[in-house]
Amino acid sequence: MLASADSPHVDALHPSPNIEPRKPGYRPDMLLLHYTGMHSCEKAIDWLARPESKVSCHYVVAEDGTITQMVAEDMRAWHAGQSYWKGETDINSSSIGIEIHNPGHAQGYPDFPDAQMHAVTRLSADIVARHRISKTRVLAHSDVAPNRKIDPGEKFDWKRLSETGIGYWIAPEPIDKCGWSLGPDSRSEKVAEAQHLLRTYGYGIDVTGTLDAATGFVLRAFQLHWRPGLIDGRLDSSTLATLRMLIVGAQTADTMA
């Protein structure tokens, strides 16, 4: 099912058997970025190609920038798991998944090397252009599965991608360590506003006015992507201001692409 590469930037093919057709009516209109969370890229590719793993992805990007394709873009890879974005629950049918090799938070979470980021940027630009994926639909695994995932994490350079037209980025509001901050079980109109804005952008969240556990996970996911300076799942002035700016800017980001 993977006779040739879909992108000219691919260095190697390593087919995975963990694939199936996309559901009828679906096409790739989202790019989802992950990290492998394994000790080595070789082990990650091997695992993604094993039937018993029941996981796969379209591409893997090694630390040195080597790009391996594992699933054809027209097929449904098994990379998102249980997830949600803007009312859609079958993210695998509507997305292309890139696994970026990084051992992950549980194993030291090193920086993403420049060669790797350059490869991710080139590959993402090609995918986004060919499938006409909008800026606001270039997302993290943590965005679509905030209660389960934290990858690719706060060290991933979303700003660098956006500077080449991939994804949407805004400069986060500076953190005010002496300002207000709301934690678990807080009930406030500010919490309700944040929930409404997060839901408007695409996150799976209910507007209750209470900072329950589910809201904490979504706030953490938002911070991992757009306010990486402090990841605590709390609602503070910086998080809310950054979220407000995100929503306002996103209204024109895709039309200006």
Side-chain angles (χ1 to χ4, degrees):
M1 301 295 289
L2 183 58
S4 61
D6 287 307
S7 171
H9 303 298
V10 169
D11 300 297
L13 300 179
H14 193 119
S16 173
N18 303 324
I19 61 173
E20 59 194 330
R22 295 182 186 272
K23 287 187 178 179
Y26 282 81
R27 68 171 185 85
D29 66 358
M30 178 186 298
L31 179 61
L32 204 61
L33 305 183
H34 311 249
Y35 66 38
T36 60
M38 299 187 73
H39 286 291
S40 73
C41 190
E42 292 76 16
K43 288 184 178 180
I45 291 173
D46 177 69
W47 180 243
L48 290 161
R50 289 180 177 269
E52 63 268 27
S53 75
K54 299 187 185 301
V55 290
S56 60
C57 65
H58 294 89
Y59 298 96
V60 178
V61 182
E63 290 175 309
D64 65 358
T66 299
I67 298 171
T68 300
Q69 184 166 5
M70 303 194 72
V71 175
E73 291 180 6
D74 63 351
M75 298 297 288
R76 184 182 186 271
W78 303 347
H79 60 99
Q82 184 178 357
S83 49
Y84 174 99
W85 193 257
K86 280 189 175 291
E88 177 56 56
T89 56
D90 187 358
I91 302 301
N92 283 337
S93 280
S94 58
S95 65
I96 290 173
I98 299 177
E99 287 277 0
I100 304 159
H101 177 62
N102 187 293
H105 291 79
Q107 302 177 74
Y109 192 42
D111 293 337
F112 295 88
D114 183 70
Q116 186 179 49
M117 281 301 308
H118 182 61
V120 171
T121 300
R122 288 187 292 115
L123 176 60
S124 297
D126 176 55
I127 293 170
V128 164
R130 285 188 289 104
H131 294 282
R132 299 188 178 185
I133 296 173
S134 67
K135 291 183 177 181
T136 56
R137 291 180 71 82
V138 179
L139 299 167
H141 197 188
S142 53
D143 290 320
V144 302
N147 62 322
R148 300 187 300 111
K149 299 295 181 177
I150 57 173
D151 60 307
E154 68 277 13
K155 289 185 177 182
F156 185 75
D157 198 348
W158 295 100
K159 180 176 181 290
R160 177 170 175 167
L161 259 66
S162 74
E163 288 172 347
T164 58
I166 308 157
Y168 179 52
W169 171 259
I170 53 164
E173 183 74 11
I175 297 168
D176 182 2
K177 294 184 178 179
C178 297
W180 60 269
S181 178
L182 301 175
D185 300 321
S186 296
R187 184 167 181 82
S188 166
E189 290 183 359
K190 292 176 180 176
V191 174
E193 180 189 359
Q195 289 169 331
H196 171 71
L197 294 174
L198 289 163
R199 186 175 181 84
T200 298
Y201 198 73
Y203 288 96
I205 188 171
D206 294 324
V207 180
T208 64
T210 299
L211 208 163
D212 53 16
T215 300
F217 285 132
V218 174
L219 284 170
R220 180 185 66 175
F222 174 80
Q223 292 165 345
L224 283 165
H225 193 148
W226 283 284
R227 210 285 301 270
L230 178 61
I231 314 299
D232 59 6
R234 297 174 65 89
L235 180 64
D236 55 25
S237 58
S238 167
T239 299
L240 185 56
T242 304
L243 178 55
R244 287 168 175 163
M245 291 188 293
L246 179 76
I247 296 299
V248 171
Q251 294 174 351
T252 56
D254 291 331
T255 59
M256 294 175 64

